[in-house]
């Protein structure tokens, strides 16, 4: 299965009180996540499959797998649009 990973070293981010604050340097845009997004972000920082991301949301929040998959798909798509994922 394909691993998804955040873009390399040029993406600056910090874990602050369980949320993520990131600076996208190309567009000079700050991004923030909620706790669920922070969980996915941390997994993507080291590399994770879609199934691992879904499983993490299911385990952390007790979501049905189908709902977790929709949330992961939306989060990953937003990162793709912003060009924050490695190619």
């Amino acid at each position: 299965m394909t691993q998804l990973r955040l873009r390399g070293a040029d993406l600056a981010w910090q874990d602050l009180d369980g949320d993520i604050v990131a600076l996208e340097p190309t567009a000079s845009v700050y991004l923030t996540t909620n706790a669920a997004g922070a969980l996915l972000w941390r997994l993507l920082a080291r590399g994770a499959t879609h199934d691992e991301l879904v499983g993490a949301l299911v385990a952390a929040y007790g979501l049905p797998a189908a709902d977790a998959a929709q949330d992961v798909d939306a989060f990953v798509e937003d990162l793709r649009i912003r060009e924050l994922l490695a190619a």
Side-chain angles (χ1 to χ4, degrees):
M1 189 155 289
T2 303
Q3 277 220 336
L4 303 166
R5 184 179 300 273
L6 291 175
R7 204 168 72 196
D10 68 329
L11 180 61
W13 61 277
Q14 185 74 33
D15 192 329
L16 298 172
D17 296 324
D19 295 334
I20 299 294
V21 177
L23 171 63
E24 196 292 305
T26 305
S28 296
V29 173
Y30 280 99
L31 307 164
T32 62
T33 68
N34 60 18
L39 172 64
L40 297 176
W41 187 280
R42 286 189 292 272
L43 291 170
L44 289 166
R46 65 177 171 83
T49 66
H50 184 271
D51 289 346
E52 289 170 333
L53 297 172
V54 170
L57 285 184
V58 169
Y61 298 102
L63 297 173
D67 292 346
Q70 286 180 339
D71 290 346
V72 167
D73 291 344
F75 189 78
V76 168
E77 182 60 20
D78 187 54
L79 294 177
R80 278 196 178 111
I81 289 168
R82 296 174 185 275
E83 298 179 350
L84 297 178
L85 293 178

